Amino acid sequence: MFNREYIRVLYIDLSTRTFDIKDRADLSLYLGGVGIASKLLDEELQYDLSPLDVEQPIIFAIGALSTIYPVVTKTVCMFRSPLTGNLGESYAGGRLAMSMLYSGYDAIVIKGQANRPVYLSIGSRHVEIKNADPIWGTTTEESARYLREMEEGRGLRSIVRIGQAGESQIRFANLNVDTYRHFGRLGAGAVFGSKNLKALVINGENNYPIPKENFKNYRKMYKEIYDKVVNTEIMEKYHDLGTPVNVKQLNDKQGLPTRNLTSGSFEYADELSGESFAKERLVRKLACVACPVGCIHIGQYRRMFADRSHEYETLNVSYDYELIFALGSFIGISSKDEFFELLEKVEAYGMDVITMGVLLGWLTEAYKNGLIKEEDLGTHLEFGYTEGYSKVLEGLISARNELYQTLALGTEAAADEYGGKEYAMTLGKHEMTGYHTGYGAVLGQAVGTRHSHLDNAGYAVDQTVDVKEKDKFVDAIFQEEITRCLSNSLVICLFARNVYDLETTVRAFNAIGINKSEDELKDIAERIYALKLEIKRKMGFDFKSLRFPKRFFETPYRYGKMDEEVMQDLLSRYIAKVESLVAKNA
């Protein structure tokens, strides 16, 4: 992308087994990452077709600074979400951004459906559609083992694949990236499954050196950013305990969602804390390519091969805060072994851990309230009952009956069918994340373009702005949503969002010979947000239809109970800001 004035897009049609390459200068208006992926999605999406129709596209894109500077490590994946029916947007690290950069493609658009299971092998000099019969039906790790043997390019290669959940088109199936990273949320794995696409292997074979005339400035800028990343407190917590440091901190503030958010604190928080994992289970820390931090925490899980056996295997499993919340406190799991047992199974099948945990939370309460029968479920359920949850995971993969076929559609769809919507913890039809910190966490996820806490960090606004100052509170969420459109067009790791402030970003561009001003970057961010809102509108989304489950207002957070009328008032103020932005960009 740098050293040239166009965006190179690889278009692949699995139905016709053909591909095309286009160099598009017009896409430069959207900078990169989420900007160009949104534009391509708008061009290629069939708005009148279902998310899993074979004609629907799935798009991967990198940014103008990808892997050139520290912590610019992510790739964005965009699609129409089969879980929410709306905008699907997800990010993953690993080696993928580097592999795409050095294969020569800024974006990849995949459409159509193969007539039998296949995987894609992409490099700078080849695009091949290969037989995936031998790995169809395998877990995410089993398929990766096969592909590592079959495909060349070790070290410069990235392997994106689905497990059985994606093959079965479970609406919250994910894409596993290089084992420990994921396009986790909103069901990208189901889109792969609908195309009979088991995996995507990209081998970066090219070399794109920094131009000699820019090299001195580039090295100086690189060192400045590198020092900021490794020698200041900005990124320190991510390397130290990692995000699990949040477990105790949120628990102390009644902000740790527990047992389907019937409580904001968990009596076993110490056992599942970052400190406890580090002391007893942490075996290594890994980093994505081009990241000096090493935030990926790997824990050791020892598993017996069979009952009454003396044979064990030791598994390495990546853990972080959101996973501990979803398969820990939210369903009452009280030990590391039980948490790892469920996590390893969810990862192997290839499902979004957060959605899985929140669905299990709703299911446990629905079962208790008599909405779900034991004969349909195949087990009884109660909070903390690991064996029951394990059977539910297996039932989802086998789609054993109508109940499990409905559960495979996600929490919102299950509650629509069986009841219990007042405690079905979704926002914008997307399962809640692990922050019961106040109005900002709830509103932020509800109004976020992909209905994620990462859209605008509303949970952080809860810590910095008094909700009594309503306009200021709403504006903080709104402005952060726009700012993150710039971060995600670069596509930096959001852990480093405070490293890449606007002034630093401009100088980083200039140092490699790309002239950008702060005003220009602000305009691009606003343009991207307006485009994403337009895509959501075309998909049928209406902010006024948002639902806030009553449980949010029943369970106290740090400052007491939230008031539903206040929440609706905040939503109205946010909608007014959106309407103003849309009118400005019409």
Side-chain angles (χ1 to χ4, degrees):
M1 187 178 294
F2 70 102
N3 289 349
R4 62 194 192 204
E5 295 180 352
Y6 56 82
I7 304 293
R8 176 161 289 176
V9 184
L10 171 63
Y11 295 85
I12 300 171
D13 189 327
L14 293 172
S15 298
T16 59
R17 300 179 73 89
T18 58
F19 71 92
D20 192 16
I21 299 167
K22 294 182 181 178
D23 294 335
R24 304 215 10 210
D26 61 309
L27 291 178
S28 300
L29 281 172
Y30 297 90
L31 198 58
V34 71
I36 60 174
S38 297
K39 182 61 177 170
L40 290 167
L41 184 69
D42 188 39
E43 291 175 357
E44 299 293 333
L45 193 76
Q46 303 290 317
Y47 283 98
D48 57 335
L49 298 180
S50 71
L52 296 180
D53 188 280
V54 299
E55 291 305 312
Q56 298 292 28
I58 185 164
I59 296 160
F60 299 89
I62 58 174
L65 304 181
S66 284
T67 72
I68 297 171
Y69 287 109
V71 212
V72 189
T73 57
K74 300 283 188 176
T75 302
V76 61
C77 174
M78 296 194 77
F79 49 97
R80 186 169 194 172
S81 168
L83 180 66
T84 66
N86 208 259
L87 186 66
E89 176 186 342
S90 191
Y91 295 81
R95 291 185 294 275
L96 183 56
M98 175 203 66
S99 298
M100 281 186 65
L101 175 67
Y102 289 114
S103 68
Y105 300 113
D106 304 306
I108 299 172
V109 179
I110 304 170
K111 297 178 68 174
Q113 181 191 55
N115 59 9
R116 61 188 301 168
V118 298
Y119 74 91
L120 281 164
S121 175
I122 296 172
S124 60
R125 289 178 286 278
H126 73 279
V127 177
E128 296 178 76
I129 300 173
K130 296 186 175 181
N131 177 26
D133 281 342
I135 51 175
W136 197 257
T138 60
T139 68
T140 54
E141 181 51 32
E142 288 165 343
S143 58
R145 254 183 255 136
Y146 175 90
L147 293 168
R148 287 184 203 115
E149 293 296 322
M150 298 298 291
E151 294 292 317
E152 61 181 17
R154 184 177 182 181
L156 298 173
R157 174 190 63 199
S158 182
I159 301 176
V160 182
R161 66 273 190 180
I162 58 174
Q164 297 100 319
E167 295 172 12
S168 302
Q169 298 177 36
I170 290 174
R171 299 305 196 263
F172 48 92
N174 67 17
L175 295 176
N176 182 296
V177 182
D178 302 327
T179 301
Y180 295 123
R181 299 291 86 185
H182 309 80
F183 292 107
R185 308 221 69 190
L186 291 164
V191 181
F192 260 42
S194 72
K195 298 180 178 307
N196 279 332
L197 180 60
K198 179 69 177 181
L200 169 67
V201 183
I202 302 180
N203 183 13
E205 307 153 294
N206 285 341
N207 183 24
Y208 297 95
I210 301 293
K212 189 179 293 184
E213 63 271 22
N214 297 327
F215 198 70
K216 184 177 178 182
N217 287 338
Y218 165 70
R219 285 201 63 177
K220 183 180 177 185
M221 193 70 221
Y222 184 98
K223 185 176 185 310
E224 178 185 323
I225 296 172
Y226 180 89
D227 287 344
K228 207 168 173 182
V229 169
V230 301
N231 295 324
T232 70
E233 294 180 353
I234 296 175
M235 303 287 288
E236 186 178 352
K237 84 167 191 178
Y238 300 112
H239 175 76
D240 187 13
L241 290 178
T243 56
V245 72
N246 292 338
V247 173
K248 287 182 70 171
Q249 293 175 359
L250 285 165
N251 190 64
D252 291 345
K253 297 174 182 175
Q254 291 183 268
L256 177 64
T258 297
R259 297 186 179 88
N260 204 37
L261 197 61
T262 53
S263 174
S265 57
F266 189 41
E267 64 271 30
Y268 297 103
D270 284 344
E271 164 68 12
L272 297 182
S273 67
E275 292 84 348
S276 185
F277 271 98
K279 184 177 180 182
E280 300 177 19
R281 299 304 178 92
L282 179 64
V283 290
R284 57 191 301 214
K285 299 176 186 176
L286 301 175
C288 300
V289 167
C291 177
V293 175
C295 75
I296 305 170
H297 287 58
I298 308 296
Q300 202 164 72
Y301 166 49
R302 195 161 181 254
R303 180 172 66 184
M304 186 184 286
F305 277 120
D307 289 345
R308 295 187 296 277
S309 164
H310 294 290
E311 302 291 337
Y312 290 83
E313 64 177 337
T314 301
L315 304 173
N316 289 334
V317 185
S318 169
Y319 65 91
D320 64 31
Y321 169 69
E322 295 291 352
L323 313 187
I324 295 171
F325 133 75
L327 294 180
S329 66
F330 203 77
I331 55 175
I333 297 299
S334 59
S335 77
K336 298 181 191 66
D337 276 336
E338 291 172 294
F339 162 72
F340 273 136
E341 180 182 339
L342 292 174
L343 178 60
E344 193 278 330
K345 187 170 263 188
V346 172
E347 295 279 28
Y349 288 148
M351 294 186 276
D352 174 29
V353 177
I354 298 175
T355 286
M356 190 68 251
V358 173
L359 174 62
L360 289 173
W362 169 83
L363 186 62
T364 307
E365 203 163 340
Y367 174 84
K368 179 183 174 184
N369 293 336
L371 302 179
I372 305 292
K373 297 177 181 175
E374 185 169 340
E375 60 258 39
D376 293 329
L377 200 55
T379 179
H380 81 274
L381 275 188
E382 59 184 295
F383 287 119
Y385 182 45
T386 306
E387 186 178 338
Y389 292 139
S390 187
K391 287 182 178 176
V392 171
L393 298 181
E394 293 163 7
L396 274 166
I397 295 302
S398 65
R400 53 187 287 176
N401 57 28
E402 191 175 324
L403 168 64
Y404 277 102
Q405 291 160 22
T406 303
L407 293 176
L409 303 178
T411 309
E412 184 90 4
D416 277 340
E417 180 67 25
Y418 293 97
K421 288 194 78 168
E422 64 275 21
Y423 51 82
M425 304 312 293
T426 62
L427 293 163
K429 301 183 180 178
H430 200 198
E431 285 74 8
M432 72 171 289
T433 46
Y435 302 89
H436 189 51
T437 53
Y439 292 92
V442 180
L443 180 71
Q445 186 176 338
V447 300
T449 49
R450 53 182 157 146
H451 307 291
S452 164
H453 66 302
L454 297 174
D455 285 321
N456 49 50
Y459 61 95
V461 176
D462 282 326
Q463 318 305 316
T464 55
V465 183
D466 189 339
V467 72
K468 292 175 183 172
E469 299 181 80
K470 291 180 180 176
D471 285 332
K472 185 178 178 182
F473 190 85
V474 168
D475 191 58
I477 294 174
F478 183 77
Q479 293 303 330
E480 186 64 21
E481 180 97 22
I482 295 174
T483 298
R484 289 188 178 211
C485 285
L486 176 60
S487 302
N488 290 331
S489 67
L490 292 177
V491 187
I492 68 168
C493 173
L494 288 178
F495 289 167
R497 59 190 179 277
N498 294 325
V499 173
Y500 285 88
D501 56 60
L502 207 53
E503 186 262 342
T504 302
T505 303
V506 167
R507 290 195 295 114
F509 270 116
N510 293 343
I512 57 172
I514 301 175
N515 293 317
K516 299 287 180 190
S517 68
E518 292 191 13
D519 286 343
E520 191 177 357
L521 293 179
K522 288 178 183 175
D523 287 344
I524 290 172
E526 208 169 271
R527 184 181 306 132
I528 294 170
Y529 185 40
L531 175 59
K532 288 168 70 176
L533 291 170
E534 175 62 7
I535 292 171
K536 287 179 70 68
R537 185 193 66 77
K538 290 182 182 177
M539 289 177 170
F541 176 75
D542 183 353
F543 281 97
K544 294 174 182 172
S545 68
L546 284 170
R547 176 184 75 89
F548 298 105
K550 289 193 179 298
R551 180 62 51 81
F552 281 117
F553 307 103
E554 295 169 345
T555 301
Y557 74 114
R558 186 180 186 184
Y559 300 114
K561 291 183 180 179
M562 285 182 272
D563 185 313
E564 192 166 0
E565 287 187 12
V566 172
M567 188 69 76
Q568 290 293 346
D569 184 22
L570 295 171
L571 174 61
S572 296
R573 292 168 193 255
Y574 194 91
I575 291 173
K577 285 189 168 292
V578 166
E579 290 174 343
S580 175
L581 179 76
V582 170
K584 179 182 171 185
N585 285 274

